[in-house]
Amino acid sequence: EAGVAQSPRYKIIEKRQSVAFWCNPISGHATLYWYQQILGQGPKLLIQFQNNGVVDDSQLPKDRFSAERLKGVDSTLKIQPAKLEDSAVYLCASNQPGLAVTDTQYFGPGTRLTVL
Amino acid sequence: AQSVTQPDIHITVSEGASLELRCNYSYGATPYLFWYVQSPGQGLQLLLKYFSGDTLVQGIKGFEAEFKRSQSSFNLRKPSVHWSDAAEYFCAVGSGNTGKLIFGQGTTLQVKP
């Protein structure tokens, strides 16, 4: 079974530029999560989707971050414009069926973003 | 509010020695607790989880963890560490409503030959 796929693996941009990350969850997984992991910290949930609906986006900085999961499968996370403090690893995770905490989340390798 | 504290940012142990990584949680109801491991350049991998029942849970790679409600702790242990165990370890508590995970800040494990 293929795991959670993310691309790109690394991205370097200047501040105020925009950037997008892509995630393809494990086939059949209804729930998809985006986490932000700043160096020296644990992952922090940015947004959670159930199919193509948003379950929790309470910690997503909506003035600059956006995410979509239009067909309930893959997802894109965008930052526009980027700030220095957005430098982090962005992790995508998925599980099935998803809303129960007992459902194991499977994580992708992450995208490491550096904002200069 | 739910929170997780991992008091040790960095731990060094000799290969073959025993290991204990500490985790304390704050949660109003029955906690759902997890330990994940993250190797350099890799995503997080689940080591073990506790939901209910026996307070000593066994995981992969020879790890185990013990839930102690009275101490609000869920410490991870391994009797004999291998060099390949060098990684970052995260404790997390799960929300029963949405499946959301709240992570501690992590403990970096270094293994000396």
Side-chain angles (χ1 to χ4, degrees), chain A residues 9 37 42 48 101-102 104-105 108, chain B residues 38 41 43 49 90 95 98-99 104:
Chain A
R9 292 294 308 276
Q37 185 178 13
Q48 177 183 351
V101 70
T102 51
T104 299
Q105 291 185 30
Chain B
Q38 186 176 37
K49 56 190 176 184
F90 292 94
S95 165
T98 65

Side-chain angles (χ1 to χ4, degrees), chain A residues 9-10 33 35 37 40-45 48 55-56 58-59 91 98-105 107-109, chain B residues 32 34 36 38 41-46 49 51 88 90 93-106:
Chain A
R9 292 294 308 276
Y10 305 91
Y33 309 80
Y35 289 87
Q37 185 178 13
Q41 299 181 20
K44 180 186 78 172
L45 181 69
Q48 177 183 351
V55 175
D56 184 347
S58 58
Q59 297 198 82
L91 295 166
L99 286 184
V101 70
T102 51
D103 301 318
T104 299
Q105 291 185 30
F107 285 80
Chain B
Y32 300 92
F34 304 78
Y36 279 84
Q38 186 176 37
Q42 304 294 316
L44 284 84
Q45 181 183 23
L46 180 67
K49 56 190 176 184
F51 299 145
E88 192 156 21
F90 292 94
V93 63
S95 165
N97 293 332
T98 65
K100 168 183 175 179
L101 293 178
I102 297 168
F103 287 87
Q105 73 270 35

Side-chain angles (χ1 to χ4, degrees), chain A residues 64-116:
Chain A
R64 297 183 300 105
F65 286 65
S66 64
E68 60 184 13
R69 193 184 183 200
L70 293 177
K71 296 182 179 179
V73 181
D74 56 351
S75 176
T76 303
L77 177 70
K78 296 180 181 177
I79 309 175
Q80 182 179 10
K83 292 185 176 182
L84 296 177
E85 58 261 35
D86 298 331
S87 293
V89 175
Y90 291 84
L91 295 166
C92 180
S94 70
N95 59 8
Q96 173 70 339
L99 286 184
V101 70
T102 51
D103 301 318
T104 299
Q105 291 185 30
Y106 296 88
F107 285 80
T111 296
R112 181 177 298 276
L113 173 67
T114 302
V115 182
L116 304 176

